[in-house]
Amino acid sequence: MNRPDTSVDHTPYIRLALALSLGAAVSLGITRFAYGLLLPPMREDLGWSYTLAGAMNTFNAVGYLIGALATPWLMRRFSPTGLLIAGSLGASLFMGLSGFFTAAAPLLAQRLLAGVASALVFIAGGLLAARLGARQPERSGFLLGIYYGGTGLGIVISALGVPPVLAAAAQPHGWAWAWWALAGVCLLATALMAWPARVLANLPAPAASTAAGSARVFRLRDFGYALAGYTGFGVGYIGYMTFVIALLREQGSASGAITGFYALLGLAVIASSRIWAGLLDQHRDGQALARLTALLGVAAIVPALTASWPLVLASGLVFGGVFLSVVASTTALVRHNLPPAQWAAGISAFTIVFAAGQIVGPTVVGFIADGPGGLARGLVFSAIALWVGAALAWRQRAL
């Protein structure tokens, strides 16, 4: 008697998801969010306005948008695992090159190119995580959360690693050493991702469903409210992540306290994979996206209203525990409503509007911060953008 093939049951799902999460650590946790720690010393050293400081992350988002637009075309020609590794190598390279310039133009160019590379990593990794989750539907939300929670690991590494490097390199342009150290971490993460890339490359893509809905194709109008809401999320969250460290420094927070704040924020991102897994599995409509985005708006406005350290720390913990689950909720929305063959198109569309929102957020918040009210007023704008996004996402219905 032939025995059934149970090889898939031996797939180390959790370990694969954890190793794959290094892609999220590189693409967002380090390539994008470490800049929030480097913004204050670079601004002081190079005499930047807040508008120019915000433009650095705006250019990163422009590059991210370019990468997101190019990804569907690249996915038709190259494997997701190949794009994952190539993008991670590119992000490592451009992070390192940022330490060799002091003029604004080449630094803006490096941020843009790093954004292109990080989009390839993030989308390819998200698609691979969705495929991994499809093999264990009962834990798909948890596996997706592990992948996106890797961003928190990148934030923790940045929070604990950047301040000592800055302190050791107490010299003009000492921040360059932090860029080089972060690039080295990204290269190490790339090497560690070789194992999940190899295993996942040998696993076939999930079979298309034979149900009537399997013929569904991705159409923008079907996801209009969710896409609009996610744009508001992109506008709002990036202002907080770009400028909250600068605001805490302005409020007189000690260096060690800021390190602890950012590290705890990163740990909350890692924990969010467990906290919100059930919510992502439960809702086929825009409810998860709406609820999480609204909660994020509450967390974002707190540092703008008070310098009370317990409340500010709570803001960071809530923000970290929510914002990457908003990203995961869009992948879950795509997975719930489209057949596997359409997942890449759906994830790419959400990544594109995510990038578009991030283009607007940092520069607008920086421009507001250069005027009356400073950074606190800029974070009020971020919170409002998040609440508008939540209201739009609330109207998204399941297909």
Side-chain angles (χ1 to χ4, degrees):
M1 182 176 65
N2 292 331
R3 293 182 178 179
D5 181 8
T6 59
S7 59
V8 71
D9 295 334
H10 301 293
T11 302
Y13 293 100
I14 300 297
R15 283 189 291 144
L16 282 171
L18 286 169
L20 196 61
S21 73
L22 294 173
V26 169
S27 60
L28 290 186
I30 298 176
T31 304
R32 177 167 301 156
F33 298 139
Y35 172 68
L37 294 163
L38 291 167
L39 184 155
M42 292 182 73
R43 180 174 176 268
E44 293 170 6
D45 183 30
L46 303 176
W48 289 349
S49 66
Y50 277 123
T51 303
L52 178 55
M56 290 291 163
N57 256 5
T58 286
F59 268 67
N60 185 257
V62 171
Y64 197 89
L65 176 59
I66 293 170
L69 290 170
T71 297
W73 180 85
L74 291 170
M75 286 283 192
R76 291 192 293 270
R77 290 159 177 80
F78 304 100
S79 68
T81 53
L83 289 179
L84 177 76
I85 298 300
S88 190
L89 285 171
S92 305
L93 171 65
F94 298 126
M95 286 281 287
L97 289 177
S98 294
F100 289 98
F101 301 98
T102 56
L107 284 170
L108 288 168
Q110 298 301 333
R111 293 299 288 160
L112 184 144
L113 293 171
V116 173
S118 65
L120 303 184
V121 178
F122 199 66
I123 298 175
L127 176 61
L128 292 170
R131 289 181 177 177
L132 197 62
R135 297 178 178 280
Q136 283 203 324
E138 71 281 2
R139 291 200 297 175
S140 59
F142 178 54
L143 293 172
L144 277 175
I146 289 177
Y147 170 71
Y148 290 116
T151 301
L153 176 62
I155 292 172
V156 171
I157 291 171
S158 302
L160 298 180
V162 168
V165 173
L166 291 175
Q171 58 187 18
H173 314 324
W175 44 264
W177 289 94
W179 284 114
W180 296 330
L182 291 169
V185 172
C186 289
L187 283 173
L188 176 60
T190 304
L192 293 174
M193 280 190 288
W195 171 67
R198 183 173 63 252
V199 173
L200 291 168
N202 292 327
L203 290 177
S209 170
T210 57
S214 66
R216 185 182 298 277
V217 297
F218 175 78
R219 297 182 300 183
L220 290 174
R221 66 177 179 269
D222 290 337
F223 293 88
Y225 283 116
L227 288 165
Y230 199 46
T231 304
F233 163 73
V235 172
Y237 101 93
I238 191 61
Y240 183 98
M241 290 300 293
T242 300
F243 289 109
V244 69
I245 299 300
L247 176 60
L248 295 182
R249 285 184 51 147
E250 281 191 357
Q251 292 175 343
S253 298
S255 203
I258 292 175
T259 296
F261 169 88
Y262 213 52
L264 287 173
L265 188 154
L267 289 173
V269 174
I270 297 171
S272 67
S273 62
R274 173 63 72 180
I275 296 171
W276 304 110
L279 183 68
L280 302 191
D281 287 335
Q282 179 182 356
H283 292 284
R284 292 173 52 87
D285 54 16
Q287 296 303 300
L289 174 59
R291 293 178 186 182
L292 293 172
T293 304
L295 181 57
L296 209 60
V298 175
I301 204 169
V302 168
L305 302 179
T306 178
S308 169
W309 187 248
L311 292 176
V312 169
L313 194 60
S315 163
L317 284 170
V318 172
F319 202 96
V322 172
F323 86 95
L324 254 294
S325 291
V326 177
V327 180
S329 75
T330 63
T331 301
L333 184 67
V334 167
R335 182 177 51 79
H336 283 313
N337 290 280
L338 292 172
Q342 294 296 309
W343 288 353
I347 292 171
S348 294
F350 276 98
T351 304
I352 287 167
V353 300
F354 179 52
Q358 292 176 122
I359 290 171
V360 175
T363 299
V364 171
V365 173
F367 177 77
I368 293 171
D370 282 328
L375 284 171
R377 184 170 293 181
L379 289 194
V380 171
F381 166 81
S382 293
I384 292 172
L386 288 163
W387 288 329
V388 170
L392 290 166
W394 190 266
R395 302 193 64 184
Q396 177 66 47
R397 298 291 176 259
L399 302 188

